[in-house]
Amino acid sequence: GGDSDGGSEELVLTPAQLIRSLEQAWLNEKFAPELLESKPEIIECVVEQLDHMEANLKRAKRGDLKVSIHRMEIERIRYVLSSYLRCRLVKIEKFFPHVLEKEKSRAEGEPSILSPEEFAFAKEYMANTEIYLKNVALKHMPPNLQKVALLKSVPRPNLDSFVFLRVLERQENILVEPETDEQREYAIDLEEGSQHLIRYKTVAPLVASGAVQLI
Amino acid sequence: YDRLLRIRALRWEYGSVLPNTIQFHMSAEEVEWFSRYKKSLATYMRSVGGEEGLDLTQDIKPPKSLYIEVRCLRDYGEFEIDDGTTVLLKKNSQHFLPRWKCEQLIRQGVLEHIL
């Protein structure tokens, strides 16, 4: 197990590397204020890995000490995977009109923030909520107010929120926006291994590329 | 909208069947929203984990140990665990069971985790 079979990925990851990728994606998703790129290759491989481990366990001798340890490992990995997917669902539901808008207006070749299944879920969530709002409130209002501007009324993710990060790949000349009107924007270098507290907006592309890890 | 968010939380807390006391307080439109939401969520979860799907409402907390001590809060009947043995869950009985089998029952209020 552990071979990457996502189709477009040519890398072959060891199980340990795969789990580390999952953990990195999980932490980034947890601490980023917006929904990050979907990682279907990682999810597919982790599910495969879990199935593989479960199958091994079924074949193992009862009472073998290794069984407990492997079981624990399976539970641990399953927890991280569930937590990661749950975190994404929460953000999808929280920001649903913006998430759908971003995905619909995505350029060809730009990475997706929603998997096909998440996209279907998001559309259903939007339709469901629109029906509810329409039946409960809007049909009692005059017709010209009925078209709910969901994009306006559902809050956007706050990209200005601060995040903690660790630098994985050295970066130079990152432009930081001023806090007050008196300051001017300035550039900083991010040394590998250093940790920072910085506005998410400034480092969003670095999170996407894997140059920094949110903690 | 706020009520909707709380109803959504109920699906994650109680499972896909809401207790009657809660349903009583919901309007028809809310019940409909809930029904559509849980269907949509089920479709998504099924699509994720291979053949059976991945139940995202399990594993809410990181696992600390494999087995946990639980007390049964009400009569539930027979409960099968992985190696084929069954356990009779009677009110006030205590058991030492695999954590992953108990999570759903704990949230439904059938079992209580003894710390």
Side-chain angles (χ1 to χ4, degrees), chain A residues 43 47 50-51 62 67-69 71-72 75-76 78-79 81-83 85-86 88-90 93-94 96 115 117-118 120-122 124-125 128-133 135-136 139 154, chain B residues 1 3-5 8 12 27 29-30 32-37 39-41 43-45 47-51 54-66 82-83 99-100:
Chain A
I43 296 176
V47 168
L50 283 175
D51 283 343
R62 189 95 52 79
V67 169
S68 294
I69 300 178
R71 230 302 125 234
M72 196 63 194
E75 294 300 297
R76 209 175 61 82
R78 210 205 316 270
Y79 166 74
L81 179 63
S82 284
S83 184
L85 293 174
R86 263 199 301 269
R88 288 180 61 85
L89 276 189
V90 165
E93 291 177 10
K94 194 168 174 186
F96 65 96
S115 71
E117 296 83 12
E118 286 171 338
F121 177 80
E124 284 166 21
Y125 187 83
N128 195 13
T129 307
E130 273 182 328
I131 292 174
Y132 171 80
L133 290 175
N135 285 335
V136 163
K139 71 177 176 210
V154 175
Chain B
Y1 189 56
R3 275 177 69 91
L4 224 50
L5 293 179
R8 176 237 179 242
W12 289 85
S27 70
E29 293 88 1
E30 287 170 339
E32 218 180 288
W33 186 91
F34 182 78
S35 161
R36 267 194 279 258
Y37 176 73
K39 243 185 237 142
S40 185
L41 184 62
T43 306
Y44 173 74
M45 295 199 294
S47 74
V48 166
E51 282 150 32
L54 183 64
D55 185 357
L56 293 178
T57 61
Q58 302 268 48
D59 307 302
I60 300 275
K61 292 209 175 71
K64 287 226 161 71
S65 64
L66 280 179
D82 275 336
D83 52 6
R99 196 193 56 83
W100 64 95

Side-chain angles (χ1 to χ4, degrees), chain A residues 93-147:
Chain A
E93 291 177 10
K94 194 168 174 186
F95 304 122
F96 65 96
H98 309 290
V99 162
L100 282 170
E101 189 60 35
K102 190 167 173 183
E103 187 65 13
K104 285 196 180 127
S105 55
R106 179 172 59 97
E108 189 73 38
E110 237 181 81
S112 226
I113 51 169
L114 292 172
S115 71
E117 296 83 12
E118 286 171 338
F119 188 48
F121 177 80
K123 280 195 294 190
E124 284 166 21
Y125 187 83
M126 172 129 162
N128 195 13
T129 307
E130 273 182 328
I131 292 174
Y132 171 80
L133 290 175
K134 191 152 167 235
N135 285 335
V136 163
L138 300 174
K139 71 177 176 210
H140 302 295
M141 291 195 217
N144 58 341
L145 290 180
Q146 275 188 22
K147 189 152 169 55

Side-chain angles (χ1 to χ4, degrees), chain A residues 28-75:
Chain A
N28 280 339
E29 195 72 68
K30 225 172 162 217
F31 297 117
E34 62 174 350
L35 186 68
L36 299 177
E37 268 172 48
S38 76
K39 303 270 179 200
E41 340 75 57
I42 297 186
I43 296 176
E44 206 179 300
C45 292
V46 169
V47 168
E48 233 177 78
Q49 180 71 12
L50 283 175
D51 283 343
H52 188 79
M53 289 170 83
E54 286 272 9
N56 278 345
L57 271 195
K58 283 207 170 70
R59 283 197 298 263
K61 262 195 305 232
R62 189 95 52 79
D64 192 347
L65 254 180
K66 280 195 293 203
V67 169
S68 294
I69 300 178
H70 282 294
R71 230 302 125 234
M72 196 63 194
E73 187 65 13
I74 291 178
E75 294 300 297

Side-chain angles (χ1 to χ4, degrees), chain A residues 161-204:
Chain A
S161 48
F162 279 81
V163 290
F164 281 96
L165 61 85
R166 183 183 306 121
V167 180
L168 300 177
E169 290 164 19
R170 191 193 143 89
Q171 302 294 314
E172 293 185 352
N173 285 329
I174 303 297
L175 275 181
V176 180
E177 270 172 35
E179 302 280 328
T180 63
D181 287 332
E182 283 111 38
Q183 293 177 342
R184 273 174 311 149
E185 58 178 20
Y186 54 95
I188 57 173
D189 292 339
L190 298 176
E191 296 295 327
E192 187 176 324
S194 63
Q195 292 178 183
H196 302 267
L197 176 60
I198 200 169
R199 238 190 241 121
Y200 174 76
K201 200 159 47 174
T202 313
V203 294

